[in-house]
Amino acid sequence: MFQLGWFGNLTAPEWTASPTSPYVTDDATNWMDGRFYIDQARNLERAGFDFLMLEDSLMVPDMYRGNSEMALKHARYAPKLDPVVAASMLAYATEHIGIICTASTTFYNPFQLARQFATLDHLTRGRIGWNMVTSSEDRAAQNFGMDKLPEHDLRYEMADEFKRAAEALWDSWDEDAITASPETGYYADYTKVHRADFEGRFYKTRGPLNVPRSPQHYPVYCQAGGSPKGRDFAAKHTDLILNIPNGPEEMKAFRDDIRKRAEGFGRNPDDIKIFFVILPLIGETEEHAREIQDEWNGRKETNFEINMSHFEATQEIDMSVFDPDKPLPADVTTNGHQSTLENTKRAWGDKTIREAASGGRISSLPLVGTAETVADEMEAVMEYVGGDGFLIYNQPMSRHYISTITDALSPALRRRGLIRSGFKHQLLRDNLRDPA
Ligand SMILES: Cc1cc2nc3c(=O)[nH]c(=O)nc-3n(C[C@H](O)[C@H](O)[C@H](O)COP(=O)(O)O)c2cc1C
């Protein structure tokens, strides 16, 4: 048995026919009212997904050729809604599925974040998670009044302290602080509500928080760092890790490495679930699935532009300064997603930038076939890797693609007893650790 998560973007759904969706709907202009995302969340819950992870970034990219044309043409990273705000609406529309919101430890403030996530944990009745990101863009830093992003490893030190500050605030209400006693007339017992008095190198907060202790006390901690510093952070602090290794061997190596690091931090590695990003291409027949794949690989110009936009957004690398008919120079570095860049260099090898960036899709496994054959492959790979789950992704999203997953792949997995058929617990953390 394994678990499913959904990599959600609060960005524009499909506005033109694509290999994974032949239909054009009016979602592309209506998505900002959130209803598309409510339908998505309900479908995922019905289909046995453990959680919906809402990614986030905080800028309109404009590195490629020095303007925002590529970013806005393909709308991968902007425009985008704020997941923390949207989560409360999704919470009201669902009962069981976990909702994980991305929030930056580099730009946000611990008191504000602790208050928002405690509120969301109440509103979801214990289904909230926090994707802790250190962020990766000077452009975002400039939106928050800084000149540039702090250095990569320093951001992880800040994140470590940020989390401790937030926890000091979440600890400030004892479990039994609220008495709401008709007899005494007291609502809360002031001796059970404490100041946090947190003072670190980067953050200082007095407390107490003005939100009472929430059902999970701390949100489910999620992280996606891949560098050595990022892996340590994730192994030390998280319940859930997202990663995109290339193929079963790398998946297994990544999982083994994290579990070993977790043990080194005195943790039970079974308390950490690792989700591998996949983008399955599901057809009605094998031939249909291969046609979808061929169409995907055939739109070389679009793939190239989307890749360029990916580089500028996540690594702040302007790829237009390199000759596209030569390989990516080995000495390119980033203060953004370092492991992403290293993975790209390894995957691209000696290929020219144009050749490498014109094909492919981001996925730990190729997964092309009918729901039945893809389900078989997922089962075999997960058995080899040892656990824990897959994070399904596509962008732009469409109702059609959601349906191929929730109405074809999920039922095929469920028939094999591979994914949950219900939710045993109320809290996201409990459901993650104990899949039904
Ligand atoms: C599946 C996945 C989802 C991610 N989601 C976000 C996100 O929403 N926002 C963000 O700023 N970074 C996101 N990241 C980036 C990570 O937080 C991290 O910065 C990146 O993987 C590089 O880690 P490293 O610097 O330790 O190599 C994501 C990464 C992965 C693999």
Side-chain angles (χ1 to χ4, degrees):
M1 187 160 184
F2 55 78
Q3 287 157 288
L4 291 181
W6 188 259
F7 188 155
N9 309 78
L10 295 175
T11 51
E14 204 78 88
W15 59 94
T16 174
S18 78
T20 53
S21 175
Y23 310 120
V24 178
T25 68
D26 49 12
D27 294 319
T29 45
N30 292 344
W31 60 280
M32 283 88 98
D33 72 12
R35 285 161 210 244
F36 173 82
Y37 296 106
I38 287 179
D39 292 346
Q40 173 179 270
R42 286 183 171 150
N43 276 318
L44 296 172
E45 182 169 81
R46 173 175 58 79
F49 275 70
D50 276 61
F51 64 88
L52 159 67
M53 194 286 283
L54 300 170
E55 62 86 46
D56 198 26
S57 55
L58 299 156
M59 37 102 222
V60 177
D62 62 1
M63 298 288 283
Y64 190 71
R65 295 195 191 126
N67 64 48
S68 58
E69 181 187 355
M70 236 21 106
L72 293 178
K73 176 177 177 188
H74 294 288
R76 289 300 206 267
Y77 293 90
K80 179 182 289 189
L81 300 181
D82 183 334
V84 173
V85 180
S88 64
M89 185 181 70
L90 300 178
Y92 190 68
T94 54
E95 289 290 326
H96 306 289
I97 192 167
I99 301 169
I100 300 182
C101 298
T102 298
S104 171
T105 53
T106 303
F107 304 132
Y108 291 177
N109 169 286
F111 188 89
Q112 176 198 14
L113 181 134
R115 186 163 190 246
Q116 288 173 329
F117 278 75
T119 301
L120 284 173
D121 201 41
H122 282 294
L123 297 180
T124 56
R125 296 181 301 283
R127 293 184 286 132
I128 205 70
W130 171 24
N131 181 29
M132 296 183 282
V133 297
T134 59
S135 299
S136 41
E137 315 91 11
D138 286 343
R139 286 291 180 271
Q142 286 150 11
N143 287 339
F144 285 85
M146 305 174 186
D147 292 333
K148 65 186 184 70
L149 194 65
E151 186 274 326
H152 178 271
D153 286 8
L154 179 67
R155 296 202 300 279
Y156 277 116
E157 285 168 39
M158 292 170 71
D160 197 290
E161 190 181 298
F162 190 117
K163 178 171 172 271
R164 283 188 284 119
E167 285 178 349
L169 291 162
W170 288 321
D171 289 345
S172 63
W173 282 70
D174 290 353
E175 224 166 331
D176 54 353
I178 294 180
T179 49
S181 166
E183 285 79 34
T184 65
Y186 273 80
Y187 181 72
D189 177 349
Y190 81 100
T191 65
K192 295 182 173 174
V193 181
H194 318 281
R195 285 168 58 164
D197 285 329
F198 181 91
E199 190 163 352
R201 197 171 140 210
F202 312 102
Y203 304 106
K204 188 173 166 184
T205 180
R206 180 185 188 271
L209 198 63
N210 55 353
V211 181
R213 183 176 291 216
S214 70
Q216 294 186 111
H217 186 192
Y218 301 148
V220 159
Y221 294 118
C222 169
Q223 220 268 336
S227 63
K229 196 90 176 167
R231 288 183 188 212
D232 269 348
F233 183 89
K236 189 172 163 193
H237 292 298
T238 62
D239 301 289
L240 162 54
I241 297 177
L242 317 175
N243 202 261
I244 323 175
N246 192 7
E249 273 76 37
E250 280 192 19
M251 290 163 71
K252 185 168 167 42
F254 180 81
R255 184 169 183 270
D256 291 348
D257 177 63
I258 292 288
R259 290 174 69 84
K260 211 164 114 213
R261 285 175 200 254
E263 270 173 349
F265 289 116
R267 296 190 62 196
N268 177 356
D270 290 340
D271 289 347
I272 306 177
K273 304 291 179 184
I274 299 169
F275 284 74
F276 302 104
V277 176
I278 53 169
L279 199 170
L281 298 182
I282 309 282
E284 286 158 27
T285 60
E286 289 294 320
E287 196 188 350
H288 180 213
R290 276 194 300 276
E291 278 166 21
I292 295 172
Q293 183 184 36
D294 290 347
E295 197 185 330
W296 189 299
N297 292 338
R299 47 168 207 177
K300 290 189 186 306
E301 183 67 25
T302 305
N303 291 344
F304 179 79
E305 289 185 358
I306 289 169
N307 259 307
M308 299 301 100
S309 141
H310 176 65
F311 271 96
E312 67 166 344
T314 64
Q315 291 144 81
E316 288 204 317
I317 297 172
D318 175 8
M319 296 285 270
S320 72
V321 302
F322 306 123
D323 182 346
D325 296 313
K326 291 200 173 134
L328 183 65
D331 58 357
V332 178
T333 57
T334 180
N335 190 27
H337 298 192
Q338 290 189 349
S339 52
T340 312
L341 179 60
E342 290 316 310
N343 290 345
T344 304
K345 283 183 183 168
R346 234 188 7 261
W348 285 12
D350 293 334
K351 286 188 197 149
T352 67
I353 294 175
R354 194 188 305 283
E355 208 185 336
S358 298
R361 63 202 140 95
I362 297 174
S363 183
S364 277
L365 301 168
L367 297 180
V368 180
T370 63
E372 301 299 329
T373 58
V374 168
D376 287 341
E377 200 178 335
M378 288 168 74
E379 177 176 19
V381 170
M382 200 43 91
E383 208 173 298
Y384 172 75
V385 169
D388 304 293
F390 292 103
L391 187 74
I392 298 186
Y393 166 75
N394 192 8
Q395 204 194 6
M397 194 47 73
S398 64
R399 290 179 193 274
H400 185 76
Y401 187 74
I402 294 168
S403 170
T404 64
I405 301 300
T406 59
D407 304 323
L409 181 60
S410 280
L413 292 169
R414 198 174 266 166
R415 279 195 294 278
R416 289 162 172 74
L418 291 172
I419 59 165
R420 66 169 67 253
S421 51
F423 294 84
K424 228 194 280 179
H425 305 281
Q426 175 58 39
L427 305 183
L428 170 58
R429 185 173 277 109
D430 293 343
N431 277 322
L432 276 175
R433 289 185 184 178
D434 181 21

